[in-house]
Amino acid sequence: MKLPLLLAFVSTGLCATALRAADAPAIYENNFEAAALEKAPEGAMAIAGDFAVKADGAGKVLELPGEPLDTYGILFGPAGQADLSATARFFGTKTGRKFPTFGVSLGGVGGYRLIMSGGKKTLEFFKGDEAVKSVPFEWTSGDWTKLRLQVRKAGDGFVIEGRAWSAAGAEPKEWQISLEVKEAPPTGRAGLWGSPYSGTPIRFDDLVITAAK
């Protein structure tokens, strides 16, 4: 093997190794491909709502019906408290001036939620059902959107961080919304949340839980 080619081969291998080392190993993953259709995924716990796995082209997604109009949630994965990051993909559409909301959470029903509110054009933090902080966010109807929520220990308190972006693009490097708290977050499972206020279904896919970075 000639030297330039050998160096390129070694360099490529080192880069790939570095990328793998930088990726946090998944604690939990679910893309619903192994799940049975027309029912909630095995091991999930629906808080409310008729969540069911549906066919989506050649793949599968989790779907929340477009009615009735309320807020619904479903919990996944192992229970945790802090130093965790949860990511998922979401799909929704607006109808006239009616918009859906959707989000991901950590720490069970009473834990922290990162919610995208299309009607208010905001990205919000909730603790349980209580809104605690919001920032402006422009959502595109009919576009798969990814959300990442992170809860980590920091000094004598905790930091809650979130970001949202088009699934077709690159993940932002900076957190778009963050909150420092002293009180320890609740312990519980990760969750998906949706409010189909537009009267159209909300779809969820590619849930991943990793250690916080």
Side-chain angles (χ1 to χ4, degrees):
M1 185 180 291
K2 293 183 179 180
L3 183 59
L5 183 58
L6 175 62
L7 290 175
F9 178 80
V10 172
S11 175
T12 301
L14 289 175
C15 289
T17 301
L19 286 172
R20 286 194 297 270
D23 292 338
I27 297 170
Y28 175 87
E29 291 183 87
N30 198 338
N31 62 7
F32 309 112
E33 294 305 306
L37 292 172
E38 305 303 329
K39 60 176 66 176
E42 185 176 349
M45 183 175 69
I47 304 305
D50 295 325
F51 289 89
V53 176
K54 302 285 186 179
D56 182 33
K60 298 177 182 178
V61 296
L62 183 65
E63 184 175 285
L64 176 67
E67 56 182 25
L69 306 184
D70 208 334
T71 297
Y72 305 99
I74 188 168
L75 303 183
F76 291 91
Q81 182 187 49
D83 293 323
L84 294 172
S85 174
T87 307
R89 286 198 304 141
F90 302 81
F91 181 89
T93 55
K94 69 175 185 177
T95 303
R97 296 185 179 181
K98 298 178 181 179
F99 295 79
T101 70
F102 49 72
V104 62
S105 68
L106 287 166
V109 176
Y112 285 96
R113 306 178 192 179
L114 175 65
I115 302 294
M116 190 296 302
S117 178
K120 293 188 285 186
K121 297 183 178 182
T122 58
L123 195 60
E124 300 179 277
F125 277 150
F126 282 72
K127 186 178 181 185
D129 295 324
E130 180 184 359
V132 293
K133 187 173 183 178
S134 68
V135 296
F137 180 76
E138 288 287 342
W139 169 73
T140 301
S141 174
D143 183 25
W144 276 99
T145 301
K146 295 189 80 170
L147 300 182
R148 182 187 294 275
L149 171 66
Q150 179 165 280
V151 179
R152 62 181 174 87
K153 189 79 171 67
D156 60 351
F158 297 83
V159 176
I160 320 301
E161 297 163 313
R163 57 173 69 120
W165 68 101
S166 170
E171 180 173 356
K173 294 182 179 180
E174 303 297 327
W175 296 104
Q176 295 153 313
I177 181 171
S178 63
L179 178 70
E180 295 183 6
V181 298
K182 293 293 185 181
E183 182 181 3
T187 298
R189 305 170 73 185
L192 300 173
W193 301 87
S195 302
Y197 296 136
S198 60
T200 57
I202 299 173
R203 290 185 160 186
F204 313 82
D205 203 2
D206 298 334
L207 178 66
V208 179
I209 304 171
T210 64
K213 296 181 180 179

